[in-house]
Amino acid sequence: MDNIIIGRNAVMEAIENDHAIDKIMVAKGSQGSIGKVLAKAKSKGLVVQNVDKKLLDKLAEGRPHQGIAAQIAAYQYGEMEDIFRIAKAKQEDPFVIILDGIEDPHNLGAIMRSAECAGAHGIIIPKRHSAGLTEVVAKASAGAIEYMPCVKVTNIAQTIEQMKKDGFWIAACDMGEHMYYEQNLTGPIAVVIGSEGFGISKLVKEKCDYVVSIPMRGHITSLNASNAAAILMYEIRRQRDEGR
C-alpha cells in the first residue's frame, strides 16, 4: 500500500532519518523491541496510535508487519518561514489558511487547490486529527500541493497566539452576527476552518480575533469545509485586489 512502512526496523530507520511521518500505528498488546521504536517516536514528537492487529494485516497486504506500521507523507511538509518567504517575494501581506481538524483528504486537497488559485501563501494543519499529505490529497489538489506550503504544528491554539504576536489578524469561519463580506479582511490574515463534523474547537475559536459567517438561506445550515474556505479566500482576494 502506498505511503505505508511496515516492520520494526523499517519504522525505526524512518524515524531516525527524520522522514515525514504522519502517524505510527501499533498493534494493541505489542511488546518486546517495539518499545525502543516507540521511545524514539516519542522523543521526536510523533503521533502514535494503538490499533487492532487486523488493520495492520490489511495495510501490510500479507507481508510481516511485526505489530507496527508508519504512514508517511507523500510530500514534504513546509515551515512557517516558507510562508513568509513566499509572501515577501510577492510583496504581499501574509495570507494563511488554518485547518482545525480537516480529516477528509479530498477536502484538504480541494482547499489546497483553492488556496493556490486565490493567491494564499500557505496552509497550517495540526499533527493530530488531520489528513496528511497523501497521494489522495495530491490528486485532489490538482497539482497545487507542489506550490502550497503545508505546515504541520503540534498545537493550533498556541500557533495562533504566536501568529498574533507576528502581526496577523485571525478570523474564524463560524456562525455569528457578522457576514464575511462586512468584515475588513485586508492586512496579514489567517482564516480558520473547522473540521467536517465538529467545526472549530472552543479553545481555538477563543483565540481568534473575530468570527466571519457565510449566510445560509436553505434548509441545510452548513457548507462543506472546502466550499466555505473557497468563499472566504476569494473575498480576501477581492478585498486585496480592490485595495491596490
Side-chain angles (χ1 to χ4, degrees):
M1 188 173 180
D2 291 341
N3 308 124
I4 296 293
I5 294 174
I6 63 170
R8 301 182 184 188
N9 289 336
V11 173
M12 177 65 92
E13 185 175 345
I15 296 171
E16 290 180 335
N17 286 284
D18 293 322
H19 206 297
I21 297 175
D22 284 327
K23 63 182 176 181
I24 295 173
M25 294 165 283
V26 181
K28 296 175 182 177
S30 297
Q31 298 178 346
S33 62
I34 206 165
K36 295 181 179 179
V37 182
L38 298 182
K40 178 63 72 172
K42 184 177 180 180
S43 71
K44 298 275 188 175
L46 299 174
V47 175
V48 177
Q49 293 182 346
N50 291 317
V51 301
D52 289 332
K53 180 178 176 293
K54 290 181 180 180
L55 174 59
L56 296 185
D57 292 340
K58 180 179 179 181
L59 294 175
E61 299 177 332
R63 296 171 293 164
H65 54 68
Q66 300 176 301
I68 190 168
Q71 180 177 307
I72 61 173
Y75 291 81
Q76 192 68 32
Y77 290 97
E79 303 289 342
M80 287 299 297
E81 289 75 13
D82 298 320
I83 293 176
F84 291 125
R85 174 179 51 79
I86 293 172
K88 184 177 180 180
K90 292 183 176 181
Q91 297 183 321
E92 295 179 337
D93 289 322
F95 171 13
V96 179
I97 312 302
I98 300 175
L99 304 180
D100 184 23
I102 297 294
E103 299 191 44
D104 185 334
H106 296 92
N107 271 341
L108 176 55
I111 290 170
M112 295 186 83
R113 182 177 185 175
S114 295
E116 205 283 325
C117 290
H121 304 124
I123 289 174
I124 296 174
I125 64 173
K127 279 188 177 181
R128 297 179 181 274
H129 307 300
S130 175
L133 297 185
T134 64
E135 291 292 350
V136 175
V137 172
K139 184 175 181 180
S141 79
I145 196 170
E146 300 284 356
Y147 308 101
M148 182 59 48
C150 183
V151 180
K152 183 185 281 190
V153 300
T154 301
N155 187 295
I156 291 290
Q158 291 178 3
T159 299
I160 287 175
E161 287 184 345
Q162 182 57 53
M163 293 177 72
K164 290 167 73 172
K165 291 177 182 177
D166 291 336
F168 278 87
W169 289 96
I170 313 295
C173 177
D174 204 354
M175 299 298 290
E177 297 180 1
H178 301 290
M179 295 297 106
Y180 71 95
Y181 47 78
E182 298 172 333
Q183 184 66 49
N184 182 349
L185 300 175
T186 58
I189 190 165
V191 175
V192 183
I193 305 295
S195 69
E196 295 91 346
F198 303 100
I200 300 173
S201 67
K202 181 179 179 181
L203 178 59
V204 168
K205 186 176 178 180
E206 288 174 350
K207 298 293 183 181
C208 296
D209 291 303
Y210 48 80
V211 173
V212 288
S213 299
I214 297 172
M216 297 292 161
R217 299 292 184 260
H219 296 288
I220 298 173
T221 58
S222 66
L223 286 171
N224 172 277
S226 63
N227 291 337
I231 289 171
L232 294 182
M233 284 188 270
Y234 270 94
E235 175 62 16
I236 293 172
R237 181 78 270 156
R238 182 190 70 79
Q239 291 189 20
R240 287 190 169 205
D241 289 346
E242 289 186 353
R244 288 178 180 173

